[in-house]
Structure formats: C-alpha cells, structure tokens
Amino acid sequence: MADESEPIRMSVSGPTPFVLPPEPDALMAAIDAAGGDPAALRDVVASAPTSLFAWAALGDAEPETIHRYAAYRIGYHRGLDALRGNGWRGTGDVRWSEPTNRGFLRSLLGLHLMSRAIGDVAESDRTIQFLHQLDRGGPPQSEVDAIVRP
C-alpha cells in the first residue's frame, strides 16, 4: 500500500531533482582554509569522514594519481550513502546546478577521470554514464578542467 502521507508528484519532466543537504559552514570553512594542502585536507577528512566536499577536495589536492583515485572513490561511495540516507532511491536527477550536490558529483567525476588515467576503462565508462544519468547535461567543462592537470 502506498504511503498516503506523501502527495503524488506528477511532472512531464520526470522526478523532482534531488538536492543533498548542505554541509556545516564550519566544515566548509576548514576545507577552504586548507587551501589545497593535502596534509591539511587529510586532517579535515579525518575529522569529518562523511564530508563529500572534503573527500572531493582531497582528491583534487593529492599529488599522486592513485591517491587521487582512492579519495574520489571514497567520496563517491560516501556520496551514494548520503543520497540514499536522504531519500534518493536511485532515480531522479542529481544536478550540478545545485551547489550542495557538487561534493558527490565532483568525486564521481574525479573517479571517472582517475579511472581513465590508470587504465580502468570499464570503471571509466560506467562512471561517465552514471554522471550523464544524474545530470543529462553532463559535467561542466570547468569542473573537468579543474580536476585534469596539465
């Protein structure tokens, strides 16, 4: 039997886009204060291991590709946990246009790019497909450029 406490939402555009709740301001300030320093970001992650933005920032900052891959992978899995814990059931957009979604999406994008860099074609293909399923427009080029190092 359907849960009658929730109204039925019908839309020609599909399910309502999903928005993750914001992370605490103090945590976001700590990530900013770390300034891209991997050691400082590791401390932030250790103090807030469920922070999607901290894992994404650590993935951005790590100097070694395999460490970047690992940080992004953890951020991706923590992000799936956060999505499910906040009611996402595997359907519906998770868009880049929502700032609070970007920690998860950034980790997923980083996982895609680092998978490609280490030669894991199957994971690279799966993750880019998932990114396009979550937001049909795909990742903004500025996000790709911020992760890819010359």
Side-chain angles (χ1 to χ4, degrees):
M1 182 163 189
D3 180 1
E4 295 177 16
S5 65
E6 284 291 315
I8 295 173
R9 292 181 181 90
M10 298 182 76
S11 167
V12 294
S13 63
T16 302
F18 192 82
V19 180
L20 283 165
E23 293 194 2
D25 290 340
L27 176 58
M28 297 302 285
I31 294 167
D32 287 341
D37 174 53
L41 286 166
R42 288 182 206 118
D43 289 341
V44 174
V45 165
S47 70
T50 61
S51 170
L52 308 180
F53 283 90
W55 283 110
L58 182 59
D60 293 348
E62 284 289 355
E64 300 294 328
T65 300
I66 201 69
H67 295 159
R68 297 181 77 199
Y69 169 88
Y72 289 134
R73 177 168 266 296
I74 294 167
Y76 161 69
H77 282 286
R78 291 288 188 157
L80 288 176
D81 292 344
L83 286 166
R84 291 178 186 130
N86 284 285
W88 186 75
R89 298 292 173 246
T91 61
D93 292 349
V94 180
R95 296 185 180 152
W96 286 95
S97 60
E98 295 293 343
T100 57
N101 291 343
R102 292 181 192 154
F104 167 68
L105 293 170
R106 179 81 174 218
S107 288
L108 180 55
L109 176 59
L111 179 59
H112 160 67
L113 293 168
M114 294 306 107
S115 295
R116 188 172 64 190
I118 65 172
D120 188 343
V121 175
E123 183 166 65
S124 178
D125 290 348
R126 278 191 310 272
T127 51
I128 196 63
Q129 180 181 14
F130 191 29
L131 279 163
H132 284 281
Q133 288 170 342
L134 294 171
D135 188 330
R136 288 177 284 284
Q141 188 61 46
S142 60
E143 295 288 341
V144 175
D145 293 344
I147 292 172
V148 175
R149 295 182 180 153

